[in-house]
Amino acid sequence: VTKVQCEYTWKHKKTGLSVLGKFDGEGENMIFELKTTRNADPEQFMKDAFNFGYHLQCATYLEAMARKGKYPDFYYIVIEKTAPYGISIMRPSQEYIALGKQELERLLLTFKMCMDNGKFGAGYEFASPRQDGIHTLDLPAWAKKLIDR
C-alpha cells in the first residue's frame, strides 16, 4: 500500500459539480475500500453491497482516478466484525461498475436540476415522464420473470 485515507476531488463535466471521493487505500495499480460486516460470505456481501449503494461508491472512486489518468483495479476487503473474523476480497464486475456509473450520472444530473430549479423540497413528480406527475407502478424486472407466459 502506498497511500491510505485517499481523497480525490473531480468536476462532473455535464453539471460542473465538484465530486469528492475518499477511499481507504491506494497501491500499485489498485485501490481498495475496507468494509466490516456481520457476514463476509461473498454471496451475502453482494446483496449487502448493492443495498448499501456501494456500486455508486465504486464508480465515484474509479472516476476520480480516471480523471488523474489512472485506471486501477478496485477491491473491497470485507472483514467480519466477530470471531472467527472471516475475510472476503471482492473485485467488482464490469456490470457492477457500469451500473454505478449510470446511477451516479443520473443522480448528479438530478441534483443539479434541483439546485437550478429550487426543487429540493419537492416530491418525485418532477421525475415523472407525464405532465400530471403521476408515475406508473410496475413490477421489478425480477418479478416479471415470475409471470406465467
Side-chain angles (χ1 to χ4, degrees):
V1 177
T2 57
K3 292 168 96 177
V4 295
Q5 296 299 305
C6 305
E7 182 174 305
Y8 291 99
T9 303
W10 54 276
K11 199 166 279 288
H12 182 248
K13 291 178 185 175
K14 290 182 184 175
T15 62
L17 294 171
S18 291
V19 181
L20 172 65
K22 293 182 177 186
F23 49 91
D24 290 326
E26 180 179 354
E28 187 68 31
N29 296 318
M30 59 91 69
I31 59 176
F32 67 89
E33 185 72 10
L34 295 171
K35 295 294 183 190
T36 58
T37 183
R38 290 183 314 161
N39 186 346
D41 175 84
E43 290 296 319
Q44 183 61 49
F45 185 73
M46 275 193 267
K47 295 173 193 170
D48 293 342
F50 186 79
N51 289 333
F52 287 130
Y54 291 167
H55 54 296
L56 289 167
Q57 182 184 56
C58 177
T60 301
Y61 298 167
L62 290 173
E63 185 62 28
M65 297 302 285
R67 297 297 175 100
K68 298 199 170 298
K70 297 179 180 181
Y71 301 92
D73 291 328
F74 182 89
Y75 296 93
Y76 284 104
I77 301 171
V78 185
I79 305 166
E80 291 178 352
K81 295 177 184 180
T82 58
Y85 306 105
I87 297 173
S88 291
I89 298 175
M90 307 287 290
R91 183 177 180 195
S93 69
Q94 289 305 308
E95 290 92 0
Y96 187 89
I97 294 167
L99 180 63
K101 287 181 178 182
Q102 177 183 311
E103 197 166 327
L104 179 62
E105 180 76 6
R106 181 185 60 77
L107 289 171
L108 289 170
L109 290 170
T110 301
F111 185 77
K112 177 69 169 151
M113 188 278 304
C114 288
M115 284 180 59
D116 292 347
N117 297 294
K119 295 286 186 180
F120 284 109
Y124 289 97
E125 64 276 359
F126 71 87
S128 173
R130 294 172 38 147
Q131 290 289 69
D132 60 8
I134 296 174
H135 297 269
T136 301
L137 178 60
D138 199 356
L139 294 171
W142 62 266
K144 288 183 180 185
K145 296 175 186 174
L146 302 174
I147 299 171
D148 291 331
R149 302 232 185 237

